Amino acid sequence: WRVCITHKAHVSDASAQEVVDLIRLVQPQVVFVELDSARAAQLRNNNNGNAAESSSSSSSSPFDLSNILPNNIISQMMNNANFVRILDAAPALLKRLGWFHTPQGGEMKAALAEADRMGIPCVYGDVEFSQTTRELKKSVMGMALNPAQSLANIPTPPSELTSVFGPLLTGQSDPKEFVEMIKTRERARQVTTYLSRCFPSVYKVMITDRDVHMARMLRDHCSEGKVVAVVGMAHAEGIEREWEELDT
């Protein structure tokens, strides 16, 4: 059996069309998507014209701090200029890297629609969103207990990322300019590695645990014929690494 992993930024219409084109080219027996069953159902509702229902039932962003932290802790953290800049950039950055998805679904919605059109079964390979949110809340609460220390421990960006993070942290660039500098898998790998050093507990929840889960789901549920796996840029390398670990 053969697996084709396509890694995309969750912010691009071009990415969605590339996924459709790849599925048509490969003609796989299975399409694997970086979704859990609940999010897949929401996107399918949207595909079927139930946009209002999908929007009202969709999970909130994991970066809406009001859903995670008490107001007094949020106030303390918002007094730190670096934290505010990072928070402003976080949703667009992490969508670009593939840590989480746009509400509209982008390439995942396109993959589901094309698989359904071609009669190809889908495997929902991601950790349940509710579980990820619970674990993320624990992680962020741990950081929020001492926000000044948490931010003080953030290492200086490595030389190859100075031009990316420097202007953001000094307020010289806005989040949109910052995110547009991350367009290749290599740059995504550099940024993801740096973020893993900055926020190790968040990285474990958002990346490592999900990479392990998705690699195992691929192994356990996609063992026949050709497979197209649609995942975010930040997950491709980790899934490949975990795949090799399963081989040893």
Side-chain angles (χ1 to χ4, degrees):
W1 57 297
R2 181 162 65 99
V3 176
C4 179
I5 298 179
T6 178
H7 48 89
K8 299 298 178 185
H10 296 320
V11 293
S12 169
D13 291 338
S15 292
Q17 185 57 50
E18 287 168 4
V19 165
V20 170
D21 292 343
L22 182 64
I23 292 172
R24 292 175 181 175
L25 175 66
V26 174
Q27 297 284 310
Q29 277 68 54
V30 177
V31 172
F32 175 102
V33 287
E34 181 199 325
L35 294 169
D36 64 358
S37 57
R39 285 185 295 161
Q42 289 166 8
L43 292 183
R44 280 203 167 93
N45 280 340
N46 199 298
N47 275 342
N48 293 330
N50 300 323
E53 178 184 345
S54 177
S55 175
S56 64
S57 62
S58 63
S59 303
S60 60
S61 166
F63 292 90
D64 183 349
L65 294 184
S66 64
N67 293 322
I68 299 176
L69 302 174
N71 289 334
N72 63 319
I73 293 180
I74 294 175
S75 297
Q76 292 177 41
M77 298 179 80
M78 295 303 284
N79 287 330
N80 185 294
N82 275 352
F83 176 81
V84 172
R85 293 184 187 116
I86 292 171
L87 185 65
D88 283 346
L93 167 63
L94 300 185
K95 287 171 188 171
R96 169 76 73 176
L97 293 176
W99 287 32
F100 72 100
H101 310 275
T102 64
Q104 295 79 18
E107 75 288 351
M108 298 299 163
K109 179 178 177 181
L112 292 175
E114 187 60 22
D116 289 348
R117 188 191 70 80
M118 296 177 65
I120 301 170
C122 291
V123 169
Y124 311 128
D126 205 355
V127 177
E128 291 292 328
F129 184 83
S130 57
Q131 178 181 337
T132 297
T133 302
R134 286 194 303 271
E135 295 302 317
L136 181 62
K137 180 175 181 178
K138 293 177 187 176
S139 174
V140 174
M141 278 295 294
M143 293 170 50
L145 292 176
N146 194 338
Q149 181 178 345
S150 296
L151 291 169
N153 290 335
I154 293 177
T156 302
S159 58
E160 65 268 20
L161 293 181
T162 300
S163 63
V164 178
F165 279 93
L168 176 73
L169 295 178
T170 58
Q172 296 174 4
S173 70
D174 64 36
K176 290 182 180 178
E177 293 174 349
F178 169 67
V179 170
E180 283 303 310
M181 298 178 73
I182 306 168
K183 293 184 176 179
T184 66
R185 178 170 174 177
E186 175 59 21
R187 181 64 87 194
R189 184 194 63 77
Q190 292 170 349
V191 172
T192 298
T193 299
Y194 175 58
L195 292 176
S196 73
R197 295 170 56 209
C198 295
F199 309 107
S201 59
V202 172
Y203 180 85
K204 180 179 184 299
V205 172
M206 296 299 295
I207 298 294
T208 305
D209 292 348
R210 293 168 65 199
D211 288 350
V212 170
H213 182 84
M214 285 190 279
R216 289 175 178 168
M217 288 291 288
L218 268 170
R219 282 286 187 162
D220 293 345
H221 300 282
C222 304
S223 59
E224 298 294 332
K226 294 177 291 186
V227 180
V228 168
V230 186
V231 302
M233 270 198 297
H235 290 291
E237 190 168 305
I239 291 171
E240 291 167 359
R241 183 172 55 251
E242 293 300 329
W243 184 286
E244 292 173 0
E245 289 281 332
L246 292 172
D247 271 340
T248 59

